[in-house]
Amino acid sequence: MSGHPTYQPQNAFMKWMEARLPIAGLIYSSFVVYPTPRNLNYWWTFGGILTFLLATQIVTGIVLAMHYTPHVDHAFNSVEHIMRDVNYGWMLRYIHANGASMFFLAGYIHMLRGMYYGSYKEPREVLWILGVILLLLMIVTGFMGYVLPWGQMSFWAATVITNLFSALPIVGEPIVTWLWGGYSIGNPTLNRFYSLHYLLPFVIVGVVVLHVWALHVVGQNNPDGIEPRQASDTATFTPYATIKDGFFLAVFLVLFAYFVFYAPNYLGHPDNYIPANPAVTPTHIVPEWYYLPFYAILRAVPDKLGGVALLGASVVILAFLPWLDRSKVRSARYRPRYRFFFWLFVATCVGLGWLGSKPAEGVYVFAARILTIYYFAHFLVVLPLLGRYEKTLPVPGSITEAVLKRASAAAVVAIMLAGLIGFSSPSVAAEADTPPKQKWSFAGPFGKFDRGQIQRGFRVYREVCQTCHGLSQVSFRNLAEPGGPEFTRAQAAAVAAEYQVAAEPDDQGEVKDRPGRLSDRFPAPYKNENQARARFNGVPPDLSLIVKARGYERGFPWFVVDLFTQYQEHGADYLVALLTGYSDAPAGVTAPPGTFYNKYFPGHFLAMSPPLTEGRITTNGKPVYDDDTPATVNQMARDLTAFLMWTAEPHLEARKRIGLQVMLFLVVFAGLLYFTKKKVWKSLGAHG
Amino acid sequence: MATTTSAEHTRRDFLYIATGAVGAIGAAAALVPLVAQMNPDASTIAAGAPIEVDLGPIQEGQVIKVFWRGKPIFINHRTKKQIEDAQSVDVARLPDPQPDSARVKPKREQWQVLIGICTHLGCIPLAHQGAYNGYFCPCHGSVYDTSGRIRSGPAPTNLPLPPYEFVSDTRIRIG
């Protein structure tokens, strides 16, 4: 990089400042006149995208920390408080949760780009290793963040991941106890994870600074993998790279916003909407999609220590890439054999990811073993051998020559979308029947609740469910808020007054019950779980979040299709199926005492007796609702489910409405940036 | 670039300005949720609904404290002497002139309801103290009389009154 123009301050203050703290000069030389290879394609925009995502995670994270309570008794409810009561809280949390997925998606693309074009080769080894350190920090930070909502998946992820250390000989157990701060996962664990989850992003920022510093020392690699030699090989960072990064960031944000506003729970797990329960492990626990390949490697090894060791090695081996790949040619463009093996490696990673989402049994484990072996063989066998025996193609003399020979590369959006294969997890074991798909007014990008339907559903809840099932996250005032059943405030207050809630201590210090007010929540049907067990022969789950806490496995390729068709109503469909799915047990099967056969319930035997029967809802002696809708079992099941969809996601309507505005804005903005980019780059073409 | 015509220039400038403007609008819109989330949330607002207080048990001469929206509300059942003291002051000479009648409900002079937060810097004054036997703020020495009016010290204004009304002779609703 021969000397480019340095910053010459014009006014007196900037001259004074520059002599003392040359920060303007640093920015000018690093982000304005800094020469970038002019042949960079859109895969090179992911560094900028990652920087943006890191900033987004930090800003939304700081905001969430203002409302979150790191305590085992309050964490789950404080997250629901954010989702329900905090202004725009649902949006900020969904941005943060999906932002983590976007961060890993962009990070993986960024790394694979480096692997394809040989960006780790001399003199960029340290730059690459800093990137591997960033990946490790991301993995740890993401894991700790996932624990904070303190749902079932949070709790059991914390249990499983910390137990990895117990595989170490001698020091294993003491280390696990030290990590927990107790004899099991508990409040000390949650508190320290919260503290570290706040700290680590700033460590990531520090390493990013080193990463960018190292980049600016050695310069960027490029798709042809040859160093710039003349002025016409490069374009200045601003405006050329800035506008290109900006355009593709806007395109990436369309994808990000799609998840946040239209499929916010697609990448998550229904089980994490069930509060942590140290006594019950979910039947099928899987990590978030971005850890699945590593998880598959862990489970492929039939030995505790061996599995943990290979899991660690699968990340650490990346750091040795610059020395394992001995080829003198950097870019896969001029390495036909390597190109094949690169895509084979990508397929291996995707395959491991898919296997990681499957139960660890039978053919899945066998396939995972084959792919695990290939994963390591790629680094330890294929790359060293290719370096020796591959016949590479002739490399062009200069970047300018390469650019003039080739038409500019096409956009990569389609590939990127195809690469984004989320692995939605099952929450209900596969043995049960698949619930039939229902039509819902709240489905799709323009979905809205049917007010009459959720009002009817509320009546079903009150007359059928509430003697056993609570609705603890819902306040009476919610009944009168926009986007819900939209009762009048007077109606909601009248409903509240029908319930008895614990009053504040009176003058004598006695705590008595008083009629509910709008600001109160629905009182619990039982004082504690022991009382519930004694009364109901089990603990009837709270229904506030039940629709989001249930689902069923769709399987490949449906979970991919669901993303595009916006089929997000798995929980609602399951609930209707369950409520209407009671029947006599098939011949030869007898239900254990106190249970009832239901073909949609995983395991089939359910402690809840069939709750909905014809005649449970009557108006003036007839089996109809107040609005004359016939109260059939199917109608009641659908109305109740729609009501519970609202209690689970009270801001659903606002989410879809704002989502449409955001999507329209982003499409317009991306279009404008595209034309601006074309104009800007046209001037470079004139230079030849 | 010498060949660029002025028409192209105009078109290009318009594109740049339009792109910049749309970007600025987007950035400003993104700030809205970040700022709004710091305002009181829906549960806080709901919990700030009006409260009712039974005045029956409060003895003459007694001051009780209740909380409304997290603020201490003083309810002072004033004695005849305290009422006379408050009414006989030369209003014009007060730092924040206000007659006692403007600080109580008509015909309910014995009930004085005010927000017990010193208007200086927010400490809670002590009742039945200070030179006027009204309220005295221990933080920085502001002295209020039995009507809650500032008489001396650094506080700029009288103790504020919460919105309240009598629902019966012995019951008020604050808020």
Side-chain angles (χ1 to χ4, degrees):
Chain A
M1 308 286 119
S2 57
H4 42 267
T6 51
Y7 176 64
Q8 300 296 338
Q10 294 305 310
N11 72 46
F13 172 74
M14 289 313 291
K15 278 182 187 155
W16 182 89
M17 193 68 185
E18 199 63 9
R20 285 156 182 82
L21 182 69
I23 192 163
L26 179 72
I27 291 169
Y28 184 78
S29 62
S30 305
F31 301 107
V32 180
V33 290
Y34 179 76
T36 64
R38 59 177 292 188
N39 59 336
L40 296 185
N41 58 28
Y42 281 111
W43 298 112
W44 259 265
T45 62
F46 281 88
I49 289 172
L50 280 163
T51 312
F52 178 87
L53 289 173
L54 178 58
T56 305
Q57 288 303 87
I58 289 179
V59 169
T60 52
I62 288 171
V63 165
L64 291 173
M66 293 180 190
H67 304 283
Y68 170 77
T69 311
H71 187 285
V72 290
D73 293 340
H74 304 295
F76 187 88
N77 287 338
S78 73
V79 171
E80 277 309 308
H81 165 70
I82 291 169
M83 293 295 288
R84 288 157 195 274
D85 294 335
V86 174
N87 304 315
Y88 297 100
W90 59 268
M91 189 197 291
L92 295 159
R93 172 167 177 258
Y94 278 152
I95 290 175
H96 196 74
N98 286 285
S101 280
M102 294 298 117
F103 205 139
F104 275 95
L105 172 68
Y108 286 148
I109 292 175
H110 192 63
M111 289 180 70
L112 288 172
R113 188 269 291 152
M115 292 170 80
Y116 187 83
Y117 294 111
S119 298
Y120 46 82
K121 292 190 186 185
E122 204 232 329
R124 299 186 178 85
E125 301 94 325
V126 172
L127 175 61
W128 173 260
I129 290 170
L130 286 166
V132 176
I133 292 171
L134 284 170
L135 174 67
L136 275 171
L137 286 169
M138 278 165 64
I139 289 173
V140 175
T141 310
F143 157 66
M144 287 178 171
Y146 192 60
V147 173
L148 301 184
W150 211 242
Q152 272 291 66
M153 281 297 182
S154 301
F155 184 89
W156 293 100
T159 306
V160 170
I161 300 299
T162 49
N163 265 318
L164 290 178
F165 293 91
S166 71
L168 297 173
I170 306 165
V171 292
E173 288 297 334
I175 285 185
V176 172
T177 307
W178 176 77
L179 285 172
W180 288 346
Y183 305 113
S184 58
I185 300 263
N187 204 46
T189 326
L190 179 60
N191 269 296
R192 63 191 58 184
F193 278 20
Y194 177 58
S195 169
L196 293 172
H197 185 68
Y198 207 117
L199 166 74
L200 287 177
F202 296 96
V203 177
I204 291 180
V205 169
V207 181
V208 165
V209 169
L210 296 181
H211 191 66
V212 173
W213 185 10
L215 173 73
H216 283 219
V217 170
V218 294
Q220 282 164 295
N221 183 34
N222 59 75
D224 290 297
I226 46 180
E227 297 297 329
R229 293 202 176 84
Q230 58 209 33
S232 67
D233 285 350
T234 62
T236 53
F237 192 93
T238 303
Y240 300 104
T242 335
I243 191 71
K244 198 168 178 171
D245 283 359
F247 162 62
F248 211 66
L249 171 62
V251 172
F252 188 83
L253 288 183
V254 172
L255 176 78
F256 190 175
Y258 184 86
F259 276 102
V260 169
F261 293 104
Y262 295 122
N265 295 306
Y266 178 82
L267 297 168
H269 303 295
D271 282 291
N272 222 24
Y273 282 108
I274 303 170
N277 182 352
V280 181
T281 308
T283 48
H284 186 174
I285 66 164
V286 274
E288 294 288 85
W289 70 268
Y290 36 85
Y291 299 140
L292 287 173
F294 305 112
Y295 190 59
I297 291 174
L298 169 77
R299 297 191 310 181
V301 185
D303 175 73
K304 187 169 175 178
L305 180 58
V308 174
L310 275 201
L311 171 72
S314 64
V315 180
V316 172
I317 200 168
L318 291 165
F320 294 93
L321 193 50
W323 296 278
L324 292 169
D325 178 1
R326 305 297 305 164
S327 177
K328 291 276 172 260
V329 176
R330 286 199 192 115
S331 171
R333 273 190 183 165
Y334 307 105
R335 299 184 62 191
R337 289 288 113 219
Y338 173 67
R339 201 152 59 210
F340 169 78
F341 284 106
F342 170 82
W343 287 113
L344 191 61
F345 174 73
V346 173
T348 303
C349 293
V350 173
L352 280 170
W354 181 66
L355 291 167
S357 75
K358 291 280 147 198
E361 55 197 32
V363 67
Y364 298 126
V365 175
F366 179 73
R369 283 182 189 156
I370 301 287
L371 293 186
T372 301
I373 291 168
Y374 184 74
Y375 180 95
F376 286 100
H378 176 80
F379 293 102
L380 298 173
V381 181
V382 175
L383 289 182
L385 288 180
L386 274 182
R388 269 182 94 153
Y389 298 111
E390 186 181 28
K391 270 211 181 65
T392 57
L393 302 177
V395 173
S398 76
I399 291 176
T400 311
E401 192 190 318
V403 170
L404 295 180
K405 263 187 5 205
R406 193 171 27 241
S408 65
V412 289
V413 187
I415 305 169
M416 205 180 79
L417 280 174
L420 181 88
I421 294 176
F423 296 84
S424 77
S425 86
S427 135
V428 168
E431 52 183 288
D433 283 20
T434 303
K437 261 176 119 170
Q438 306 271 334
K439 270 182 113 68
W440 295 108
S441 68
F442 49 80
F446 309 106
K448 278 189 166 59
F449 289 112
D450 173 345
R451 310 271 165 245
Q453 183 173 44
I454 50 178
Q455 290 187 3
R456 292 195 299 271
F458 179 50
R459 188 169 164 196
V460 178
Y461 169 74
R462 294 229 285 162
E463 295 187 17
V464 181
C465 318
Q466 76 172 6
T467 43
C468 308
H469 295 278
L471 208 55
S472 63
Q473 304 289 348
V474 182
S475 302
F476 295 111
R477 65 187 155 86
N478 297 141
L479 296 169
E481 284 166 5
E486 297 189 359
F487 290 109
T488 63
R489 275 181 78 80
Q491 285 172 324
V495 169
E498 292 175 29
Y499 291 81
Q500 291 293 312
V501 301
E504 299 70 26
D506 65 11
D507 295 344
Q508 306 304 314
E510 302 292 328
V511 177
K512 296 192 182 110
D513 282 351
R514 62 161 169 77
R517 298 179 189 138
L518 283 173
S519 58
D520 292 320
R521 287 161 187 251
F522 279 80
Y526 43 85
K527 283 202 183 92
N528 50 55
E529 292 196 357
N530 288 350
Q531 193 189 50
R533 277 189 205 97
R535 251 191 226 170
F536 306 117
N537 183 32
V539 184
D542 190 271
L543 295 185
S544 317
L545 282 160
I546 203 81
V547 178
K548 271 157 68 174
R550 294 290 184 271
Y552 63 94
E553 167 134 49
R554 290 274 284 164
F556 186 81
W558 292 109
F559 70 82
V560 184
V561 176
D562 290 348
L563 180 60
F564 296 99
T565 58
Q566 286 193 18
Y567 175 54
Q568 304 294 312
E569 289 75 36
H570 307 71
D573 289 350
Y574 168 75
L575 203 58
V576 173
L578 183 85
L579 289 168
T580 56
Y582 287 91
S583 62
D584 292 331
V589 181
T590 36
T595 66
F596 302 86
Y597 183 81
N598 188 312
K599 64 177 170 171
Y600 296 107
F601 185 69
H604 295 313
F605 298 111
L606 182 55
M608 176 170 72
S609 61
L612 298 175
T613 46
E614 197 89 29
R616 279 306 292 264
I617 298 281
T618 55
T619 308
N620 300 329
K622 280 186 290 188
V624 293
Y625 290 100
D626 319 59
D627 61 1
D628 283 335
T629 309
T632 62
V633 170
N634 190 53
Q635 184 70 37
M636 287 188 284
R638 280 180 51 82
D639 293 348
L640 174 67
T641 301
F643 169 71
L644 293 176
M645 181 73 229
W646 168 71
T647 62
E649 186 83 356
H651 297 296
L652 180 141
E653 289 188 10
R655 189 184 85 215
K656 294 187 174 184
R657 189 179 62 242
I658 295 174
L660 185 66
Q661 294 163 353
V662 170
M663 294 299 262
L664 286 175
F665 170 84
L666 284 174
V667 168
V668 169
F669 189 44
L672 281 169
L673 281 167
Y674 175 71
F675 289 113
T676 305
K677 187 235 142 205
K678 271 187 87 161
K679 284 267 184 213
V680 167
W681 277 76
K682 214 171 133 194
S683 64
L684 188 69
H687 286 292
Chain B
M1 292 300 253
T3 56
T4 321
T5 65
S6 65
E8 265 179 41
H9 254 303
T10 320
R11 222 170 33 224
R12 192 181 62 196
D13 290 348
F14 174 75
L15 180 63
Y16 290 178
I17 291 167
T19 309
V22 170
I25 291 168
L31 283 178
V32 171
L34 296 176
V35 174
Q37 56 86 17
M38 301 255 286
N39 271 321
D41 63 56
S43 62
T44 307
I45 292 169
I51 56 165
E52 288 196 7
V53 182
D54 181 11
L55 303 180
I58 307 173
Q59 303 295 313
E60 199 175 271
Q62 190 186 6
V63 178
I64 68 153
K65 263 187 230 176
V66 296
F67 276 86
W68 173 68
R69 295 193 171 172
K71 296 177 206 257
I73 307 290
F74 289 174
I75 302 175
N76 186 354
H77 191 172
R78 298 192 293 186
T79 59
K80 281 232 155 44
K81 179 170 184 313
Q82 286 174 324
I83 298 170
E84 276 162 25
D85 287 351
Q87 288 173 340
S88 61
V89 173
D90 180 4
V91 172
R93 296 183 56 189
L94 294 175
D96 181 10
Q98 209 180 16
D100 186 60
S101 58
R103 298 180 55 78
V104 293
K105 301 286 179 197
K107 306 225 171 80
R108 314 250 191 213
E109 286 82 7
Q110 73 275 35
W111 294 111
Q112 201 214 5
V113 182
L114 42 78
I115 300 177
I117 296 178
C118 181
T119 57
H120 181 218
L121 292 171
C123 295
I124 299 184
L126 305 168
H128 298 313
Q129 293 205 22
Y132 301 89
N133 198 26
Y135 306 91
F136 170 74
C137 182
C139 288
H140 309 100
S142 292
V143 180
Y144 300 89
D145 63 17
T146 54
S147 188
R149 292 171 297 198
I150 181 66
R151 301 299 285 269
S152 66
T157 55
N158 302 335
L159 291 174
L161 310 176
Y164 74 97
E165 60 190 22
F166 279 84
V167 286
S168 74
D169 278 351
T170 59
R171 231 178 146 72
I172 57 170
R173 183 192 293 126
I174 301 172

